[in-house]
Amino acid sequence: MKKNILWKIFLIIGVVPFIIPFIFSFTRMSTWTLLDWLIMYSFIYWPTYIVGMILIIISIYKIIKLKNKKS
């Protein structure tokens, strides 16, 4: 059970890089449009998207594997 919780936490951590630009966009709306902000943020922090995607893929794979192992 603890391994399943650990992989769910990794899944949440993997989703965070995709949510952060939208959260920060509220503070940047006075100087940037949403699209401009997302493009600039993505251009600078693109490695976080790669790490997030890898965490998402691995954690989903492990969660499914643990579910199938229990059944």
Side-chain angles (χ1 to χ4, degrees):
M1 187 65 181
K2 289 190 182 236
K3 286 186 178 183
N4 198 11
I5 293 172
L6 179 68
W7 290 113
K8 287 180 181 179
I9 292 171
F10 282 150
L11 179 64
I12 292 169
I13 292 171
V15 172
V16 167
F18 296 99
I19 295 174
I20 286 177
F22 292 102
I23 293 171
F24 283 167
S25 69
F26 295 119
T27 62
R28 307 292 191 260
M29 284 300 198
S30 62
T31 56
W32 300 93
T33 63
L34 179 62
L35 184 62
D36 290 339
W37 168 249
L38 291 176
I39 290 170
M40 186 181 72
Y41 184 91
S42 298
F43 182 73
I44 295 172
Y45 295 110
W46 63 268
T48 60
Y49 293 143
I50 294 172
V51 172
M53 190 59 70
I54 290 170
L55 276 174
I56 290 170
I57 291 169
I58 291 173
S59 61
I60 289 174
Y61 173 75
K62 293 288 188 172
I63 289 170
I64 292 172
K65 189 175 176 182
L66 287 173
K67 274 189 179 178
N68 290 337
K69 196 175 187 181
K70 287 181 182 179
S71 298

